[in-house]
Amino acid sequence: MRTISVGVFKIATRGPGDVSGLMSLIGSGAIDPTSILAILGKTEGNGGVNDFTREYAVAALCAALAPKLGLTPHEVEQRIAFVMSGGTEGVLSPHITVFTRQEAAARPAGISGKRLSIGMAQTRDFLPEELGRSAQIAETAKAVKAAMADAGIADAADVHFVQIKCPLLTSDRVEAAAARGNKTATISAYSSMAYSRGASALGVAVALGEVASDISDDIMLRRYDLFSKVASTSSGIELMHNVVIVLGNSASSVSEFEIGHAVMSDAIDSAAVMSALKSVGLDVDLGTTPQPGRELVNIFAKAEASPNGSVRGFRHTMLEDTDISSTRHARAAVGGLIAGLAGTSSVYVSGGAEHQGPAGGGPVAVIARLTD
């Protein structure tokens, strides 16, 4: 069994095109650009169909990394998994998290137990009529299993977060399907984001045995009792396939990091956030100092407005606001809750949690560095 070392670097950004922090770490030797496997980021766009800050951020990163890797920007995008989540409402702070992976020598005597590992895989390109349907679920499930193998993770219980970037529909894509005599799951570009996120999440659930594999198209966005406890999916206009990143703990890793997770039952579930922090030894209470030997690196969470229109019996208006989309409301609310508990606003909160945790809730994962 190969032994790997995984690095995690959280870098603040001054805008979606700011690559100075990453370039500084590469220049100092802290990051070997050839070891970069994935970059997850929060950008200050609207998080919707026309959020071009995501594409801008990826283009800037690819252009900056290309000469360091001896590749073209397009080749960089094929080599590294980029997942940009738009929307930093409320106190959320724009940033990127860079994940590196290198082959390592045999496990040192001082390192025991399972440590953070990361794996990546991609699906084939989807036809527009396949988005939000069983084909996307099945192909995603295959890619999740491939990413687990890439990470050296055999047990589904060791998977704590699966980040997926998935496609959405545009009017051109809907028209292309119609020209072939096929109907898409929806003709709305905005609604297609939810369909694609939901199918991708159910693909994770199938791969990890959280739900049965025989899922029919008609349960999508209806059977919210079917979900994954570790899936985080984000839709974008810039691709037609799914990019899958699996984060978990593995005995093959000698990383100085660990990851754990919990599941928020609703948007104000502070107990779940605290549970996720404690799962990696961060026994923090309302921003107080964590126990010695542990340091918070980042928190990754999903957020959505409860589809039944209430939170713990009280009506919310997020779904009825025609000025601000419900996903923006949810990101701000959950982002504020997590920031207050963790003592930092530089956290990754993504909106739209269809089939990602229970309806109105969502998974929350924490990465900690073991400083001792």
Side-chain angles (χ1 to χ4, degrees):
M1 181 175 64
R2 66 172 181 163
T3 303
I4 60 172
S5 177
V6 174
V8 188
F9 304 84
K10 184 168 69 173
I11 305 167
T13 57
R14 294 172 295 185
D18 179 23
V19 298
S20 61
L22 175 58
M23 291 300 102
S24 178
L25 288 175
I26 290 175
S28 70
I31 293 180
D32 176 359
T34 64
S35 70
I36 298 175
L37 189 72
I39 300 179
L40 275 62
K42 286 300 302 181
T43 63
E44 55 264 49
N46 60 26
V49 177
N50 65 333
D51 183 353
F52 301 110
T53 64
R54 298 177 300 222
E55 186 176 5
Y56 179 28
V58 172
L61 288 164
C62 288
L65 289 170
K68 301 292 183 181
L69 298 172
L71 303 172
T72 66
H74 177 71
E75 290 170 333
V76 174
E77 191 167 2
Q78 298 304 305
R79 171 174 173 157
I80 298 172
F82 293 94
V83 179
M84 296 296 142
S85 171
T88 51
E89 297 82 5
V91 298
L92 292 174
S93 181
H95 67 279
I96 59 173
T97 304
V98 179
F99 293 89
T100 63
R101 188 179 71 185
Q102 295 175 298
E103 298 292 324
R107 175 174 285 245
I111 293 182
S112 61
K114 296 177 180 179
R115 297 296 181 92
L116 176 68
S117 188
I118 181 173
M120 184 179 72
Q122 297 184 7
T123 67
R124 62 170 172 80
D125 278 359
F126 294 112
L127 293 170
E129 57 267 33
E130 293 179 314
L131 296 185
R133 290 176 169 154
S134 56
Q136 189 176 17
I137 295 172
E139 292 299 318
T140 302
K142 292 178 186 177
V144 170
K145 291 179 179 178
M148 286 177 63
D150 186 47
I153 299 174
D155 189 346
D158 288 325
V159 176
H160 293 282
F161 199 66
V162 181
Q163 178 64 58
I164 295 179
K165 188 69 176 182
C166 54
L168 55 82
L169 291 173
T170 61
S171 56
D172 288 344
R173 293 170 183 174
V174 172
E175 190 171 333
R180 292 191 297 272
N182 296 318
K183 289 185 178 181
T184 52
T186 177
I187 61 171
S188 164
Y190 187 74
S191 294
S192 77
M193 299 176 78
Y195 274 95
S196 186
R197 288 191 300 256
S200 299
L202 287 172
V204 176
V206 168
L208 301 182
E210 297 174 292
V211 301
S213 59
D214 55 341
I215 297 179
S216 59
D217 293 343
D218 59 0
I219 65 93
M220 192 65 56
L221 307 186
R222 293 182 178 89
R223 287 284 306 279
Y224 284 114
D225 58 312
L226 301 177
F227 58 83
S228 170
K229 296 180 180 179
V230 296
S232 170
T233 66
S234 180
S235 299
I237 199 172
E238 64 273 19
L239 76 176
M240 278 305 292
H241 61 279
N242 279 10
V243 177
V244 178
I245 302 168
V246 166
L247 292 166
N249 296 316
S250 170
S252 66
S253 173
V254 294
S255 164
E256 60 177 334
F257 304 91
E258 285 183 354
I259 185 170
H261 82 279
V263 183
M264 297 177 68
S265 60
D266 56 38
I268 58 173
D269 190 355
S270 59
V273 179
M274 297 300 294
S275 177
L277 288 163
K278 291 177 181 178
S279 73
V280 290
L282 293 170
D283 194 5
V284 208
D285 188 10
L286 297 179
T288 58
T289 304
Q291 67 186 58
R294 302 278 168 154
E295 177 184 299
L296 174 64
V297 178
N298 208 351
I299 300 177
F300 302 86
K302 289 299 295 187
E304 72 165 0
S306 176
N308 69 4
S310 68
V311 177
R312 302 192 189 184
F314 289 93
R315 184 173 68 94
H316 71 72
T317 61
M318 291 184 279
L319 297 170
E320 299 158 4
D321 189 340
T322 55
D323 296 313
I324 304 172
S325 70
S326 62
T327 54
R328 306 196 77 177
H329 277 290
R331 277 193 297 266
V334 174
L337 173 71
I338 293 175
L341 293 170
T344 175
S345 62
S346 183
V347 294
Y348 183 104
V349 179
S350 173
E354 303 85 1
H355 302 290
Q356 301 152 70
V364 53
V366 181
I367 294 177
R369 176 185 287 111
L370 283 66
T371 58
D372 58 353

